[in-house]
Amino acid sequence: MRQETTPEQALDILCFSHLRWDFVFQRPQHLLTRLAADRRVFYWEEPIFEDNVAAHVRSLQRQSDVVVLQPVLTVGIAEEDVHDAVRTLLMEWLASDQAPERYIAWYYTPMALKYSEPAKAELTVFDCMDELSAFRGAPPELLELERSLLHEADVVFVGGRSLYESKRAHHANIHLYPSSVDRAHFGQAQQKQDEPDDQARIPHPRVGFYAVLDERLDTTLLAEIARLRPSIEFVLVGPLAKIRDEDLPRGGNLHYLGGKSYDVLPSYLSGWDAAMMPFAINESTRFISPTKTPEFLAAGLPVVSTAVADVVHTYGDAGAVSIATTAQEFVDALDKALAANDDAWHGAAQRLLDQQSWDRTVDAIRRDIETARSKNPASKL
């Protein structure tokens, strides 16, 4: 039978996301696995398409009582019919025994408004982690749907200061929760780890970067710093998205190791001598607050980054991260970091990390949700 929540229990969460749960472990996973400690969490992904199947919802159990829900549609369905098909599957699932009676609708993508109905939820949350309209291939209706979601939402969380400044005037109950860090997890990198086989063959010094490799990577800069410092080995970990393998610069000191699970990242970081963040400065990075910044610092690595606004104002101005605006500045900063004769960044990094914790963020989010529930006249408290 369907599990019913009582007034004393936390509401379950039905999350709509454009990100695959199993793709990269990032903000949604950090927040929702922690929120799942006292409630059920259902994570509704974008549809997948398979041959010779009837439309259905695939349910996959993941960690910490998170259930991933994948709407499966038949290959060849007309594009204009996709959202109606997903809506039908969602309504059928909500009527099933698996679904919660009462829940929070939690959105990462405004595009989910095309098939979901926030009014059916007891509370609506918009966790705005990126300016999705600035990304390559963004649907033209995204901005209009975001305005609708901001109207529907009872509470809005924002994942970075620049993004917060751009959204704060559009909602009365908006809260800034920048990227945080699991210090215990990444702190493992400060102790010697077993060297991954695909990295063990790479000589030192090594400068590393992990991320989804997409339009936010400055491939021109990467090629130039590799050319300027042939004595440094540059290691890039992460899957490709929205760029082609042939778009990546090549060279004897450039190493692309592909995507890795969150659990093994410390074993890669422990073998690096410094970290880099060669982000392009363009519309897709204008509002980003990279989660990897505090993760690199928690791993005990000096970091050199391009001038991403949130990195500059949070970490650069504090002296925790070196900021470079040209390839020459970038390699000069790497030289200094690798010389290991300047650890002033370390104290600044520790002071910043002392203020950051995903657990602390989730505690604050829980309070914001309960406050929003208490002010929502539709809430069945």
Side-chain angles (χ1 to χ4, degrees):
M1 295 295 293
R2 183 184 306 175
Q3 176 180 325
E4 296 187 6
T5 56
T6 67
E8 290 75 28
Q9 292 175 316
L11 288 174
D12 291 335
I13 291 174
L14 175 56
C15 176
F16 300 100
S17 182
H18 58 297
L19 301 166
R20 298 287 177 197
W21 183 269
D22 294 327
F23 183 50
V24 175
F25 198 94
Q26 51 189 308
R27 180 186 179 92
Q29 288 85 349
H30 279 293
L31 296 181
L32 294 173
T33 53
R34 288 167 171 81
L35 287 167
D38 58 4
R39 72 194 78 214
R40 295 184 299 170
V41 173
F42 301 94
Y43 189 85
W44 187 276
E45 295 187 343
E46 292 187 331
I48 60 176
F49 302 89
E50 297 181 356
D51 286 315
N52 303 316
V53 296
H56 66 282
V57 177
R58 179 175 294 141
S59 179
L60 304 171
Q61 185 71 46
R62 292 296 182 259
Q63 63 267 55
S64 301
D65 292 325
V66 174
V67 176
V68 174
L69 301 171
Q70 296 177 338
V72 181
L73 303 179
T74 304
V75 170
I77 184 174
E79 184 177 350
E80 61 270 20
D81 295 334
V82 168
H83 288 118
D84 286 342
V86 173
R87 173 185 287 273
T88 297
L89 289 176
L90 175 60
M91 293 303 107
E92 290 174 351
W93 180 82
L94 283 170
S96 72
D97 288 341
Q98 184 184 10
E101 290 277 0
R102 302 163 58 196
Y103 62 91
I104 297 168
W106 185 295
Y107 287 83
Y108 280 105
T109 173
M111 294 301 295
L113 289 182
K114 293 178 76 71
Y115 55 79
S116 64
E117 298 181 22
K120 293 184 178 295
E122 190 157 315
L123 202 76
T124 299
V125 171
F126 178 24
D127 187 17
C128 183
M129 62 180 284
D130 286 306
E131 185 59 82
L132 295 178
S133 63
F135 284 15
R136 184 178 298 174
E141 67 266 48
L142 183 58
L143 284 174
E144 180 181 349
L145 288 168
E146 183 181 89
R147 285 192 289 269
S148 297
L149 183 53
L150 286 167
H151 175 75
E152 295 280 355
D154 297 289
V155 58
V156 177
F157 306 128
V158 184
R161 181 162 296 281
S162 297
L163 194 56
Y164 173 75
E165 294 299 330
S166 77
K167 305 295 182 187
R168 62 186 304 184
H170 301 290
H171 200 279
N173 187 20
I174 188 166
H175 304 270
L176 171 62
Y177 292 115
S179 298
S180 195
V181 63
D182 184 338
R183 292 182 71 179
H185 182 68
F186 287 95
Q188 297 175 79
Q190 298 193 41
Q191 308 298 321
K192 184 174 177 56
Q193 304 284 310
D194 291 337
E195 187 83 21
D197 291 342
D198 56 351
Q199 185 170 275
R201 59 181 174 76
I202 301 172
H204 290 266
R206 297 177 189 149
V207 173
F209 174 63
Y210 66 77
V212 176
L213 304 182
D214 57 19
E215 74 265 36
R216 293 170 292 180
L217 176 66
D218 190 334
T219 54
T220 301
L221 173 69
L222 180 60
E224 183 63 6
I225 63 177
R227 185 190 68 81
L228 289 171
R229 289 296 182 274
S231 61
I232 297 176
E233 305 297 324
F234 295 94
V235 179
L236 290 93
V237 171
L240 281 177
K242 294 186 285 187
I243 63 173
R244 303 167 303 171
D245 184 71
E246 53 264 37
D247 294 329
L248 297 174
R250 299 294 171 178
N253 61 337
L254 282 167
H255 309 273
Y256 301 100
L257 304 187
K260 307 298 175 185
S261 73
Y262 180 78
D263 289 343
V264 303
L265 286 177
S267 66
Y268 283 88
L269 272 63
S270 70
W272 298 352
D273 302 294
M276 62 177 177
M277 298 200 302
F279 287 111
I281 304 303
N282 57 29
E283 281 301 304
S284 69
T285 61
R286 181 180 174 189
F287 298 109
I288 65 170
S289 178
T291 306
K292 58 194 57 58
T293 318
E295 292 172 350
F296 287 155
L297 295 175
L301 294 169
V303 181
V304 180
S305 176
T306 51
V308 172
D310 278 17
V311 177
V312 172
H313 298 313
T314 302
Y315 298 94
D317 291 348
V321 169
S322 298
I323 305 298
T325 58
T326 68
Q328 189 61 54
E329 288 180 4
F330 209 102
V331 296
D332 288 345
L334 286 177
D335 289 343
K336 186 175 182 180
L338 293 171
N341 58 6
D342 180 8
D343 61 357
W345 66 272
H346 190 267
Q350 292 308 302
R351 288 188 290 273
L352 289 170
L353 291 172
D354 286 344
Q355 303 169 33
Q356 300 183 44
S357 161
W358 284 117
D359 291 336
R360 186 183 303 175
T361 296
V362 168
D363 287 344
I365 282 175
R366 284 195 178 99
R367 291 192 294 271
D368 291 336
I369 288 172
E370 289 308 307
T371 299
R373 286 181 70 189
S374 68
K375 293 180 179 179
N376 184 354
S379 182
K380 309 178 188 68
L381 292 173

